[in-house]
Amino acid sequence: MSEREPAAADRTARAGEEGTLVAGERTTERALARDAGGRHTDSVDYSDDNATLDAGEDRWAWRARLRSNKVTHLAWRIAVGVVGAVVTIAGLIMVPAPGPGWFVVFFGLLILSSEFEFAQRLLDFGKRHVSRWNDWIMAQALWVRGVVALGTLAIVWLVLWSYLAWQGVPEFLPQWAEDVLDDVPGLD
């Protein structure tokens, strides 16, 4: 054990005890815990009822300075709230369409969670359920995973076909793509 390890362990222990940041550490109130499978998970203490993060909970000095001034904190919260809400809503609109809908929703929640505790709770909830789904699907037989993949592909194809039947084939597509799509039943 080197001389540096006990000092780092001491700083981490103090940060956990006090619930505050220690200079030079990237530690917040998040603590690494292990779940039943032995994997590391983030456990977060949401003991206060604040809607936004406190300046002491921030691990970036520039953002802590923004939060120390009421006016800049309000402006920053509004900007983060607007951008995060727009990205999250755009992701929710994209969910039924083919594409990265859920990825965009999680990205929007990630933006919001940098400032708002409710978004942190939603993001943690989503991460837990995605992890559970991934664990479940990977524990299934190969044929079950194949059926799930084919079902997902069928849903994506149905949504894409419905959109193209409703709106028609976009004119910006190359001619060969339009020719292929014109041969699909129901798309004229």
Side-chain angles (χ1 to χ4, degrees), residues 111-131:
I111 292 169
L112 287 170
S113 71
S114 71
E115 196 63 32
F116 300 99
E117 289 188 7
F118 77 91
Q120 284 181 343
R121 286 190 293 272
L122 278 173
L123 189 61
D124 289 342
F125 174 82
K127 287 190 312 187
R128 273 193 318 273
H129 285 282
V130 167
S131 177

Side-chain angles (χ1 to χ4, degrees), residues 44-111:
V44 182
D45 178 23
Y46 297 113
S47 57
D48 61 356
D49 292 329
N50 291 341
T52 63
L53 297 175
D54 298 326
E57 295 174 343
D58 206 334
R59 58 179 149 173
W60 288 307
W62 65 269
R63 225 168 49 183
R65 279 193 305 273
L66 280 175
R67 288 189 175 135
S68 65
N69 181 328
K70 256 185 169 177
V71 174
T72 59
H73 185 206
L74 179 63
W76 179 252
R77 278 192 316 183
I78 290 170
V80 168
V82 167
V83 170
V86 166
V87 171
T88 304
I89 290 169
L92 287 172
I93 291 169
M94 286 192 285
V95 165
W102 283 112
F103 175 76
V104 176
V105 169
F106 279 112
F107 187 67
L109 284 175
L110 181 67
I111 292 169

Side-chain angles (χ1 to χ4, degrees), residues 128-151:
R128 273 193 318 273
H129 285 282
V130 167
S131 177
R132 286 180 54 205
W133 166 257
N134 189 45
D135 292 344
W136 179 84
I137 197 73
M138 294 310 286
Q140 301 306 309
L142 186 59
W143 70 269
V144 173
R145 287 185 269 168
V147 168
V148 170
L150 286 175

